[in-house]
Amino acid sequence: MTVPLSILDLSPISAGSTAQQALRNTVDLAQHAERWGYHRYWLAEHHFVAVASSSSITLIGLVAANTSRIRVGSAAVQVGHHTSASIVEAFGTIDALYPGRLDLGLGRSGHRRAQFGAEPEHPKGGKPVVDTATGRTEIRDGVVVPPPFDPGRITDRSRFVASLRALQQPGAQAPDFADQIAEVRALLAGTYVSEDGIPLHAVPGENAQVQLWLFGSSGGESAELAGRLGLPFAAAYHVAPGTALDAVAAYRAAFRPSQYLSEPYVVVSADVVVGADDARASELASGYGHWVYSIRSGSGAAEFLAPDAAGPLTPDQRRLVDDRLATQFVGSPSRVVERLAALQRVTGANELLITSVAHDHADRLESHRLLAEGWGLGAARAA
């Protein structure tokens, strides 16, 4: 295929396993991804749930230390939980040892605005299963675009609120998103001046060879800001399939050429599980609905279930996760490649970002290997 593939890893913890093993799996997958020809390896930031990527910047340094060519970065640093200086100094430290390989992806934190299965199931009526109370699902050139998910359907927010309190100092006030992006850019460029007129220089960090990215899932401020600043943009179809295409359109409409880019550059994410055949892939993905339900019910990402432990979802559970099941790319290599090619056509993506969860690490490795082979990554790298 003509566009690169990259990987987004949450370092998921499988049922019966540990965070320690999940981190070892992440490093192992990154090493394999480099050999298979993936372009980037990005780490997500999530807290107080059953994924091991909570300290994503630390993990970025560990992955960079255990690879040699692949770009490594954040998808994304939740800026409301960090000061601009701490972000730039941390990335500057890693870049000092592994220069020119880092992607500094920035996104909103949940307290300011949330940003970032199987084939669509077809009942006897022949239409994808969706919650009809929130709208209708569209099919655009083979790409499923469900109704936007309403966060108001998450009834228990107690864990979410407690997490936000734990992640900030008492009384701390996060700056406006655009202002914090401006601070990060100034610190990287060496032009930062404090409110009282004192120049400050991030050491290390200033002039670090990092590529700045913004992340978003709707046609709101993040997409428009990335466009106005002429930065590359990543749209989270895997999290918000109902609004990610709007995000891409808003970014392109707002784009202005900059020192970074002369034209828009878009990465679009997709949740993928590949097996030797469709049946095997569906088996590997059988725990996905339960995993998404644990997130959307307010409990946070749970440990990922083994296929034999993932029973059917109840109707109420199903209604809460139908959009994510309908937009997961599951199947044989040829089937998934066909669907990903459609996503690339519809969005005009310059690159696709693959996130994949399976209970067994060997199965997750095999999913990425089969996709790399089907997409032609090894051949592309050789050329």
Side-chain angles (χ1 to χ4, degrees), residues 175-243:
D176 176 80
F177 183 64
D179 290 344
Q180 194 160 8
I181 301 305
E183 288 179 356
V184 169
R185 295 176 69 214
L187 286 163
L188 288 170
T191 59
Y192 180 85
V193 179
S194 70
E195 289 184 358
D196 47 359
I198 299 175
L200 296 176
H201 299 276
V203 182
E206 189 170 302
N207 297 319
Q209 299 176 49
V210 301
Q211 186 175 62
L212 193 62
W213 287 74
L214 294 191
F215 283 68
S217 57
S218 69
E221 183 186 9
S222 295
E224 294 172 358
L225 182 62
R228 289 200 308 273
L229 297 178
L231 295 172
F233 179 68
Y237 178 80
H238 79 287
V239 169
T243 54

Side-chain angles (χ1 to χ4, degrees), residues 28-49:
D28 185 54
L29 176 57
Q31 292 171 330
H32 280 87
E34 183 171 73
R35 291 197 292 272
W36 292 331
Y38 285 92
H39 185 46
R40 309 174 199 272
Y41 198 92
W42 284 351
L43 285 306
E45 178 185 341
H46 295 283
H47 301 275
F48 304 113
V49 292

Side-chain angles (χ1 to χ4, degrees), residues 140 218-220 223-224 227 233 235 243-255 264 266 268 346-347:
R140 302 184 191 176
S218 69
E224 294 172 358
F233 179 68
T243 54
L245 273 63
D246 295 336
V248 172
Y251 166 67
R252 289 205 175 97
F255 185 83
V266 178
V268 176
V346 169
T347 60

Side-chain angles (χ1 to χ4, degrees), residues 139-166:
I139 307 295
R140 302 184 191 176
D141 190 19
V143 174
V144 180
V145 184
F149 179 75
D150 178 8
R153 297 168 66 198
I154 301 174
T155 56
D156 183 3
R157 295 177 176 271
S158 57
R159 177 183 289 271
F160 177 70
V161 172
S163 298
L164 295 180
R165 289 173 179 161

Side-chain angles (χ1 to χ4, degrees), residues 38-358:
Y38 285 92
H39 185 46
R40 309 174 199 272
Y41 198 92
W42 284 351
L43 285 306
E45 178 185 341
H46 295 283
H47 301 275
F48 304 113
V49 292
V51 299
S53 59
S54 55
S55 184
S56 58
I57 300 177
T58 304
L59 192 49
I60 287 165
L62 295 171
V63 169
N66 284 278
T67 53
S68 59
R69 299 182 309 276
I70 195 169
R71 295 193 65 87
V72 185
S74 53
V77 172
Q78 298 182 31
V79 294
H81 304 327
H82 308 266
T83 65
S84 303
S86 70
I87 294 169
V88 172
E89 289 172 346
F91 271 81
T93 299
I94 302 170
D95 178 74
L97 298 176
Y98 311 104
R101 292 177 56 204
L102 298 188
D103 296 324
L104 173 48
L106 302 173
R108 281 194 178 90
S109 308
H111 67 288
R112 288 191 292 205
R113 187 180 299 170
Q115 291 278 90
F116 316 94
E119 289 292 303
E121 295 207 9
H122 298 274
K124 293 181 180 179
K127 295 181 180 179
V129 177
V130 298
D131 183 357
T132 55
T134 58
R136 298 177 59 186
T137 289
E138 296 180 50
I139 307 295
R140 302 184 191 176
D141 190 19
V143 174
V144 180
V145 184
F149 179 75
D150 178 8
R153 297 168 66 198
I154 301 174
T155 56
D156 183 3
R157 295 177 176 271
S158 57
R159 177 183 289 271
F160 177 70
V161 172
S163 298
L164 295 180
R165 289 173 179 161
L167 289 166
Q168 286 194 297
Q169 296 288 349
Q173 181 66 43
D176 176 80
F177 183 64
D179 290 344
Q180 194 160 8
I181 301 305
E183 288 179 356
V184 169
R185 295 176 69 214
L187 286 163
L188 288 170
T191 59
Y192 180 85
V193 179
S194 70
E195 289 184 358
D196 47 359
I198 299 175
L200 296 176
H201 299 276
V203 182
E206 189 170 302
N207 297 319
Q209 299 176 49
V210 301
Q211 186 175 62
L212 193 62
W213 287 74
L214 294 191
F215 283 68
S217 57
S218 69
E221 183 186 9
S222 295
E224 294 172 358
L225 182 62
R228 289 200 308 273
L229 297 178
L231 295 172
F233 179 68
Y237 178 80
H238 79 287
V239 169
T243 54
L245 273 63
D246 295 336
V248 172
Y251 166 67
R252 289 205 175 97
F255 185 83
R256 299 173 185 170
S258 69
Q259 66 188 84
Y260 310 105
L261 293 173
S262 59
E263 57 188 26
Y265 193 95
V266 178
V267 165
V268 176
S269 64
D271 219 311
V272 171
V273 176
V274 183
D277 53 38
D278 289 348
R280 177 58 175 161
S282 294
E283 179 186 9
L284 297 177
S286 58
Y288 181 73
H290 295 273
W291 193 66
V292 175
Y293 179 77
S294 69
I295 298 168
R296 287 191 167 175
S297 65
S299 299
E303 294 180 343
F304 199 86
L305 296 175
D308 60 4
L313 294 168
T314 68
D316 284 345
Q317 290 175 327
R318 181 81 196 196
R319 278 191 289 271
L320 197 63
V321 302
D322 264 334
D323 61 325
R324 293 284 294 274
L325 292 176
T327 53
Q328 192 185 28
F329 294 63
V330 177
S332 65
S334 60
R335 186 177 185 84
V336 171
V337 164
E338 180 182 5
R339 290 190 63 201
L340 285 175
L343 180 66
Q344 190 278 324
R345 286 195 308 272
V346 169
T347 60
N350 302 93
E351 190 174 328
L352 294 177
L353 181 65
I354 305 306
T355 183
S356 182
V357 186

